[in-house]
Amino acid sequence: MLFVVVGAVARADDAAKPVDVIVVVGAPGAEEFGEAFDEWSETWKATCQRAGLTMQLIGPAGDDHETPDRQTTDRQTPDRDQLQAELTRSASTDSVRPLWLILIGHGTWDGASADFNLVGPDVNAKELNTWLDPIRRPLVIANCASSSGPFVNRLSGNNRVVVTATKSGSEQNFARFGEFFAAAFGAADADLDHDDSVSVREAFLKAAVDVDRFYKEQGRLATEHALLEDNDDRKGSSLALVLGKANSKGDAKVDGELASRFSIPLSDGGVRLTDEQLALRDELESKLRDLRDRFGAADPEQLRQHALPILLDLAKLYVEDPKKGKGVFNGLDTDETIPSGNRNRP
């Protein structure tokens, strides 16, 4: 009896934990797709376990696999209702850390409505946006399905990062972006700034490049072109734009700054910032962007002088001291030199 009570309490505590990552696996349509979607969701499971993130898995992939810190999918309740309920629960969580929503599966587009195909009733982009509206914490939404492009326009918003596997609803073929996007958060070569973590921007770049390479190696015409949207202009940026290999049209700004703030550590021993440190980091990075816009290439010396103290404060958050804990700058003040081994830190 005691074990039963303790188990019930443990499950209640797990259910009460705020979820960090919601992975939704849609209707596979064919066995080969189901196997692929299952593998991608397992990759996310491993990533969340490594990073200490609480993950909720919704969909057929959850039938036979437990998820970290959460119960398995409830097959008695339609997946659409489960997703809405989980997002409603997430609205009660106030945090500077993002809620990640990962959609793995197929999508459809009829010229007016973009849908993500679930087991049972589907969910369209407008409905999903309504469910997301009450959530005040940052959001990272990755729709890794075909015909996902219109989700950029529907879900774009303040403090949101939206990633889609395709640039439009007309790219209706099976999308492979989800495989590479999931894998990117565990790939050392995706860590472009060498901070021992992979940001959404870095994962987008890695995945989009890998997708492009896949089609070239297969000698096939690419039928998917991923987009990244994070500045609330509802336009999204292609791989070429984010890489700086293309110019934006009109007054459109290239996306990626917000996406670079949200990351997942590559190992379980990496530096993990507290909520207060994350808020300070965002404030310091905002100051750096203001300086860049103010001085830019016009006065690099002024930019350097003003930016150096801010960069030193940023470095304090990332340098580890075994005696004082993570995020301590080894006792150095801002008048001392950054140790050479830490010059590549953000």
Side-chain angles (χ1 to χ4, degrees):
M1 178 67 73
L2 177 60
F3 289 120
V4 172
V5 172
V6 171
V9 171
R11 287 193 296 272
D13 289 342
D14 289 343
K17 290 181 181 180
V19 71
D20 299 305
V21 181
I22 303 172
V23 176
V24 185
V25 178
E31 184 177 352
E32 61 178 307
F33 297 138
E35 292 175 354
F37 298 159
D38 195 13
E39 290 177 3
W40 305 356
S41 67
E42 284 293 297
T43 301
W44 276 105
K45 176 184 174 182
T47 294
C48 291
Q49 288 178 324
R50 182 189 71 239
L53 299 173
T54 303
M55 173 180 144
Q56 175 66 49
L57 180 59
I58 298 172
D63 291 354
D64 302 317
H65 303 282
E66 292 185 358
T67 58
D69 301 319
R70 306 290 288 187
Q71 297 182 41
T72 56
T73 296
D74 175 13
R75 301 311 303 156
Q76 301 301 315
T77 305
D79 293 350
R80 172 191 167 91
D81 294 346
Q82 288 187 58
L83 174 57
Q84 184 178 11
E86 192 62 60
L87 293 176
T88 299
R89 280 192 292 270
S90 296
S92 63
T93 301
D94 186 13
S95 174
V96 297
R97 300 178 187 276
L99 171 66
W100 299 63
L101 175 61
I102 312 298
L103 306 180
I104 296 173
H106 302 294
T108 56
W109 166 251
D110 64 5
S113 177
D115 291 23
F116 177 71
N117 302 151
L118 295 166
V119 174
D122 297 336
V123 59
N124 64 53
K126 290 183 179 179
E127 292 171 326
L128 183 57
N129 189 54
T130 300
W131 299 348
L132 294 170
D133 261 349
I135 299 175
R136 292 295 169 257
R137 63 191 290 194
L139 285 167
V140 175
I141 309 155
N143 186 343
C144 304
S146 53
S147 300
S148 53
F151 277 68
V152 164
N153 178 270
R154 304 291 194 270
L155 302 185
S156 176
N158 181 49
N159 218 14
R160 289 185 183 182
V161 178
V162 182
V163 176
T164 60
T166 74
K167 65 180 180 180
S168 68
S170 60
E171 292 188 322
Q172 300 176 348
N173 291 350
F174 171 62
R176 291 169 171 79
F177 177 83
E179 174 185 3
F180 298 112
F181 188 68
F185 288 99
D189 60 346
D191 180 19
L192 301 178
D193 59 7
H194 307 292
D195 67 345
D196 301 322
S197 64
V198 177
S199 70
V200 182
R201 179 181 182 274
E202 290 171 328
F204 168 81
L205 291 174
K206 167 72 172 166
V209 167
D210 286 347
V211 167
D212 183 61
R213 181 183 297 115
F214 169 84
Y215 283 100
K216 287 180 179 179
E217 290 177 350
Q218 294 291 317
R220 299 163 55 183
L221 182 67
T223 56
E224 55 184 293
H225 301 83
L227 291 179
L228 172 66
E229 160 63 33
D230 69 354
N231 60 19
D232 196 15
D233 67 358
R234 301 189 176 190
K235 295 179 180 179
S237 295
S238 65
L239 170 64
L241 282 173
V242 179
L243 283 175
K245 294 184 176 181
N247 296 320
S248 57
K249 298 179 180 179
D251 59 352
K253 295 182 179 180
V254 177
D255 299 273
E257 287 192 354
L258 182 63
S260 66
R261 298 185 195 177
F262 305 138
S263 60
I264 296 177
L266 278 168
S267 68
D268 56 9
V271 174
R272 285 180 171 81
L273 303 183
T274 65
D275 287 0
E276 293 76 14
Q277 288 172 323
L278 284 172
L280 176 58
R281 182 203 64 182
D282 291 347
E283 178 184 348
L284 293 172
E285 290 183 345
S286 177
K287 290 181 179 179
L288 285 175
R289 287 192 294 273
D290 290 343
L291 286 176
R292 181 197 62 193
D293 294 340
R294 180 180 174 186
F295 297 107
D299 195 341
E301 180 58 26
Q302 282 273 60
L303 177 61
R304 189 193 72 81
Q305 291 181 6
H306 285 82
L308 183 57
I310 300 175
L311 290 170
L312 287 167
D313 285 340
L314 268 174
K316 292 179 184 179
L317 297 175
Y318 287 93
V319 179
E320 299 179 14
D321 184 335
K323 296 181 180 179
K324 297 182 180 180
K326 296 175 180 178
V328 179
F329 194 49
N330 294 331
L332 297 178
D333 60 37
T334 54
D335 294 327
E336 297 184 74
T337 304
I338 299 177
S340 60
N342 295 306
R343 286 175 181 160
N344 287 331
R345 295 286 188 177

